Amino acid sequence: MPPYHYQLFVIGGGSGGVRAARIAASLGARVAIAESFRYGGTCVIRGCVPKKLLVYAAHFAEDFADAQGFGWTVPPAEFSWPQLIEAKNREIARLSSLYEKNLQGARVEVMHGAARLVDAHAVTVNGQHIAAEHILVATGGTPFVPQIPGIEHAITSNEVFDLPQLPRRVLMVGGGYIAVEFAGIFHGLGAQVTLCYRGEQVLRGFDDDVRAHLHDAMVTKGISVRLHEDVTQIEKMSDGSLAVTLAGTPGAPLVVDAVLYATGRVPNTQGLGLEEVGVALDGAGAIPVDAFGQTCVASIHAVGDVTDRIALTPVAIREGAALAHTLFGPDRTPADLTTVPSAVFSQPPIGTVGLTEAQALEQTGSIDIYSARFRSMRHTLSGRDERTLVKLIVDTASQRVLGAHMVGADAPEIIQGLAIAIRMGATKADFDATVALHPTAAEEFVTLRDKVTRTRAD
């Protein structure tokens, strides 16, 4: 056997790589990991965690207003963006440090530096040549921005968490979950927000009713949503503001203080030496892998956003754990990604699991749709004009629930529970037989009665 320094070397200290390293070490493997920035990856440093903290902050404006309907007299509130960012930075620093401590506690060798592959069993880090039996690439993704005039004046989700001040006027470019989430954040914190998207509706890939419901809610809140539009040029003015030219919009440019691009993400595969050692990349630069995370080079593996699979943090964690068990456990373990719940922390938030209506109709040919739109109990006194949407998609033949979707307060928390039932194959009769928990919004999922049957011919 060759004299390897480690049995597993992990490139990337994000969620997937860290989980793989810790599980592999717990199974007795000699493991090292290298990270070129900060441990924690996109999710912890400039993704899920700081974004959710900002989402919490953005909710307080409506909470203060709603309190009056319940008898509270709330004095005029003041918001400090620098204070929020300082608090966010402290929490991110704590979490990043915790990631390193947990790795060290698991007896993983922790390195700081950029790793590069030199062959199927070796990498270099800070000039050091390291041999490993297996190498895992878990370097995640990075925001994509188009090459248009003035793009250097725009920011992405990498920079937004470190702005020195809250911009008064913000243009969000994109229609995905990052775009609608930050539109809600900036609007809730007091900025004037415009979202432009070149597509026909926000949140491509989500259920059409969910997409339309969120669009209407955003507009009702005061966010300007401009569909079928795209940015062609950004010009920085003498006062520091940005003049944005939109395709198809005659007249003067849109003047804002910040342009935030959220037009998708691309895998972090550049500069790793992958193709030089024989690892194939797809057209988008992602690493194709089999069900067990193995690339076309048997000793090189990949998990998380750097691959061509689902780009979600819990998926990366599940893939990392499965890979560690496959390499060092008793059995080969694929990551089961058949029923993956997801959330959009928009305002109002979205929770979804299983198939959309279009996907279910394509797969089964006939489906039963159960849905309801209602005003939550909270808003009967707050007076806020906000509706909740719940929707179940059921296979007509088997009566198995294929998908559950919700837009409204606590939707992500509610959908997590439903994901268990749907993964286990629950039927509409199982939902109907479940006693409701009253008064909650979640009870609507077990009290839905009116259905619409749709067939592929429709």
Side-chain angles (χ1 to χ4, degrees):
M1 178 178 176
Y4 298 121
H5 296 102
Y6 302 99
Q7 291 170 280
L8 176 66
F9 190 92
V10 181
I11 305 175
S15 299
V18 167
R19 180 56 60 92
R22 291 180 62 188
I23 296 295
S26 74
L27 293 171
R30 300 188 311 278
V31 183
I33 185 170
E35 168 58 47
S36 61
F37 183 52
R38 295 171 68 184
Y39 276 87
T42 297
C43 179
V44 170
I45 306 303
R46 49 197 177 196
C48 326
V49 174
K51 178 188 64 184
K52 188 70 178 292
L53 295 174
L54 267 60
V55 168
Y56 284 133
H59 270 287
F60 282 102
E62 289 189 354
D63 290 343
F64 292 143
D66 291 350
Q68 298 179 34
F70 292 85
W72 289 89
T73 300
V74 181
E78 295 182 359
F79 170 70
S80 169
W81 172 267
Q83 186 176 338
L84 171 62
I85 297 305
E86 182 182 354
K88 179 270 299 181
N89 288 343
R90 287 196 303 269
E91 176 60 10
I92 299 313
R94 184 188 73 84
L95 290 174
S96 181
S97 175
L98 191 61
Y99 264 63
E100 287 198 52
K101 289 178 181 177
N102 287 340
L103 284 164
Q104 292 164 349
R107 298 185 179 179
V108 175
E109 182 74 22
V110 177
M111 302 180 183
H112 290 269
R116 179 181 172 85
L117 290 152
V118 293
D119 63 44
H121 290 283
V123 300
T124 58
V125 182
N126 300 327
Q128 180 182 2
H129 186 278
I130 299 170
E133 183 178 2
H134 295 279
I135 299 170
L136 170 60
V137 180
T139 48
T142 193
F144 166 80
V145 291
Q147 295 305 305
I148 63 169
I151 193 63
E152 67 274 11
H153 303 306
I155 60 174
T156 70
S157 57
N158 281 355
E159 299 84 27
V160 68
F161 296 108
D162 298 309
L163 292 176
Q165 297 293 333
L166 176 70
R168 293 183 300 108
R169 300 161 297 181
V170 180
L171 173 64
M172 289 296 318
V173 184
Y177 71 94
I178 296 176
V180 299
E181 287 172 339
F182 274 104
I185 288 169
F186 280 116
H187 174 75
L189 296 178
Q192 177 184 326
V193 178
T194 301
L195 182 148
C196 79
Y197 176 50
R198 64 183 181 182
E200 80 287 349
Q201 185 56 281
V202 296
L203 293 181
R204 181 170 59 90
F206 284 75
D207 186 86
D208 285 343
D209 285 340
V210 168
R211 301 170 72 190
H213 192 93
L214 180 67
H215 173 272
D216 292 345
M218 292 172 66
V219 171
T220 298
K221 288 178 182 293
I223 297 172
S224 175
V225 180
R226 301 168 68 160
L227 302 174
H228 304 289
E229 295 209 28
D230 202 2
V231 175
T232 58
Q233 179 177 303
I234 304 170
E235 183 181 359
K236 191 165 187 176
M237 311 298 285
S238 58
D239 63 356
S241 63
L242 303 174
V244 183
T245 303
L246 298 173
T249 303
L254 177 67
V255 178
V256 295
D257 301 299
V259 178
L260 174 54
Y261 262 81
T263 49
R265 295 175 64 83
V266 293
N268 273 324
T269 51
Q270 298 300 311
L272 296 177
L274 288 163
E275 292 178 296
E276 289 86 340
V277 301
V279 176
L281 303 179
D282 68 13
I287 305 174
V289 293
D290 65 12
F292 301 94
Q294 182 177 294
T295 72
C296 59
V297 177
S299 60
I300 300 177
H301 316 267
V303 299
D305 295 5
V306 78
T307 72
D308 57 350
R309 298 193 283 193
I310 303 171
L312 291 172
T313 295
V315 169
I317 291 171
R318 181 60 57 89
E319 290 174 350
L323 176 69
H325 283 289
T326 294
L327 295 180
F328 306 109
D331 300 304
R332 284 168 59 80
T333 306
D336 182 1
L337 306 179
T338 53
T339 307
V340 177
S342 63
V344 180
F345 294 101
S346 48
Q347 298 187 35
I350 294 169
T352 181
V353 63
L355 302 181
T356 68
E357 181 177 330
Q359 291 168 339
L361 199 56
E362 180 64 27
Q363 288 190 21
T364 68
S366 180
I367 55 176
D368 298 335
I369 304 296
Y370 298 83
S371 65
R373 289 176 171 82
F374 56 91
R375 193 180 197 184
S376 72
M377 179 178 285
R378 171 182 174 133
H379 294 315
T380 60
L381 294 190
S382 76
R384 187 170 300 281
D385 184 19
E386 183 169 301
R387 300 280 168 169
T388 294
L389 166 70
V390 297
K391 181 176 182 178
L392 285 180
I393 300 166
V394 180
D395 177 26
T396 302
S398 68
Q399 285 298 289
R400 179 175 176 175
V401 179
L402 303 177
H405 309 273
M406 180 176 179
V407 186
D410 301 319
E413 309 291 342
I414 292 168
I415 288 295
Q416 176 67 85
L418 294 186
I420 301 171
I422 292 175
R423 186 182 183 280
M424 294 177 68
T427 65
K428 182 60 167 65
D430 292 323
F431 276 64
D432 294 342
T434 302
V435 176
L437 201 163
H438 182 74
T440 66
E443 70 179 303
E444 295 290 333
F445 280 108
V446 299
T447 60
L448 292 168
R449 294 293 180 267
D450 297 331
K451 73 176 180 181
V452 175
T453 301
R454 296 199 171 99
T455 65
R456 197 176 300 157
D458 296 339

